[in-house]
Structures are given as C-alpha cells and as structure tokens.
C-alpha cells in the first residue's frame, strides 16, 4: 500500500496487528484506536481440549506500524509490545502525535509494556510530544528533528539516540526530551544526542546505569527526589 488512512478502530484479541504503508504515510484519524489484547486462556475446570488458545495472554499482544514516510499516531494499546517505524522508503519520515485532546497520564498515544520507535525526521515534536505509558522505551531518530516523549510513570530507557546528518544551531534538532510525571526513570542503555538532553521526573527519581551524553549541547536532569 502506498498510504494508509485509518478512519475507524482496529481491535484484535490474541493476534498480531500489522499495518504497513510501503512507500507512503500512515495517518490515524484523531481519536481512532488500535487495540491488541492477548488471547484469553481458559483455566480449569474447563476440559483440556477446550482450553484454546492455550498460550500466554500477553505473548501475542503486539502492534506493528511501519510507514514509508510519516506515521501520525492517535491511540495504540497492546499488552506486550508496540513498534512504530517511519521513513522505511527513504530519508524522510517522522512519528507524530495526531490525538488532539490528549492529556499526559490520561489520554496516551501509546500504552504497552515495550515501546520501540524509529524515525529519521523526529519522534514527537518540541511542543507536541508523544504521550506514552510504557515499562521500557527504545528510541532512535536520525538525520533531523529530535525525540520528545511524555511518559506517565516509572519507565526504563533501554536506549535513546538522536543524531543529525548536518549540524544544527537549533538545540531542538538532535534533542532528546523525556519527561515522566512520576515514579522512577531508569537509564539502562545509552542516551546519546547531538542536541539538548532533558530527563525530567516531576515527582520521582532517576537511576543512571548507563551513559547520558550530548555531542555539543546541554544536559538537564531534573527530579523531585534522588539522582543515583
């Protein structure tokens, strides 16, 4: 498909949801939902032959969106993993918030245990971050733009990398900004940017077990409680 325009909700119980726009964009209409829930496991006293499907209810709850250019996200929810990839058809493509009435911690763009996002021209925007409720984050942006995430609560950053093809005087390009409303932000993989780095926990702490670096801009780490 060249482009995918999602104007209605997509639900699956026990299935992988895959949406692909080979050479074009994916646009979820404002307010639309894609929801994947693990298959229901029927427990005893249901007879063995009737316990179908009999796999972990979280194991198949995966959503994958792949766009040749841009991906405009409304609401994605999956128990296990959500992976969004933009710019697979070239060097231009970002992941953007397409949910108008989103409130951090209430109306999230992405809700899942594992969230993986990769783009070339931005993951979120400086004044319109991607709202997440995730246990772990893996984020990669290259060429231009930055990474802008608003997380609901405790989160583990497995990796966050923002590079630039051409140096920019604008600190927003190549920046990494991850804000969390509460809990513990744990950095277990490298956080590396060409622009500014801001890690902020409104009412919580930060545990740094890996390097946090910027090539040529400032680093800000702001928490209410402890930095260890």
């Amino acid at each position: 498909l060249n482009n995918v325009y999602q104007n209605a909700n997509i639900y699956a119980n026990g299935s992988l949801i895959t949406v692909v726009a080979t050479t074009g964009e994916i646009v979820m209409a404002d307010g639309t939902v894609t929801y994947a829930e693990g298959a229901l496991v029927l427990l005893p006293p249901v007879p063995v032959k009737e316990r179908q499907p009999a796999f972990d209810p979280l194991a198949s709850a995966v959503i994958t969106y792949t766009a040749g250019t841009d991906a405009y996200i409304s609401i994605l929810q999956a128990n296990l993993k959500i992976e969004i990839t933009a710019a697979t058809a070239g060097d231009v493509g970002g992941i953007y918030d397409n949910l108008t009435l989103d409130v951090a911690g209430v109306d999230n763009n992405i809700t899942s245990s594992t969230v993986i996002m990769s783009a070339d021209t931005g993951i979120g925007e400086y004044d319109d971050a991607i709202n997440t409720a995730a246990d772990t984050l893996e984020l990669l942006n290259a060429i231009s733009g930055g990474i802008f995430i608003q997380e609901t609560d405790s989160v583990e950053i497995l990796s966050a990398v923002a590079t630039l093809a051409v140096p920019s005087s604008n600190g927003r390009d190549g920046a990494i900004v991850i804000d969390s409303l509460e809990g513990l932000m744990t950095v277990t993989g490298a956080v590396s940017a060409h622009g500014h780095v801001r890690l902020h926990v409104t009412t919580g702490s930060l545990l740094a077990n890996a390097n946090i670096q910027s090539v040529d801009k400032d680093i800000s780490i702001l928490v209410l409680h402890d930095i260890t």
Side-chain angles (χ1 to χ4, degrees), residues 29-204:
D30 184 10
T32 56
V33 178
T34 298
Y35 176 76
E37 182 179 25
L40 298 177
V41 175
L42 302 179
L43 301 175
V46 178
V48 173
K49 291 182 180 180
E50 296 179 19
R51 295 180 204 162
Q52 298 293 334
F55 47 84
D56 186 336
L58 304 186
S60 64
V62 176
I63 295 173
T64 302
Y65 273 47
T66 304
T69 57
D70 296 316
Y72 294 89
I73 302 303
S74 177
I75 300 173
L76 301 175
Q77 299 175 340
N79 296 42
L80 183 65
K81 182 174 73 171
I82 293 175
E83 184 167 1
I84 306 170
T85 305
T88 59
D91 295 334
V92 178
I95 300 170
Y96 304 111
D97 178 2
N98 208 38
L99 183 62
T100 301
L101 299 177
D102 53 344
V103 178
V106 178
D107 302 307
N108 295 302
N109 297 110
I110 303 172
T111 301
S112 186
S113 178
T114 298
V115 173
I116 302 171
M117 288 186 277
S118 175
D120 278 351
T121 56
I123 298 175
E125 298 173 283
Y126 177 78
D127 56 355
D128 195 2
I130 300 292
N131 291 341
T132 64
D135 294 328
T136 65
L137 292 171
E138 296 181 47
L139 309 166
L140 172 63
N141 186 67
I143 299 180
S144 65
I147 295 173
F148 303 95
I149 301 294
Q150 175 67 68
E151 169 60 30
T152 299
D153 50 21
S154 295
V155 67
E156 180 180 1
I157 301 171
L158 300 181
S159 65
V161 178
T163 62
L164 292 175
V166 178
S168 172
S169 59
N170 179 357
R172 298 179 184 179
D173 285 334
I176 296 175
V177 178
I178 302 176
D179 291 325
S180 182
L181 295 178
E182 61 183 6
L184 176 65
M185 182 182 293
T186 304
V187 179
T188 56
V191 174
S192 178
H194 276 207
H196 293 297
V197 175
R198 171 189 165 98
L199 303 178
H200 176 218
V201 186
T202 304
T203 58

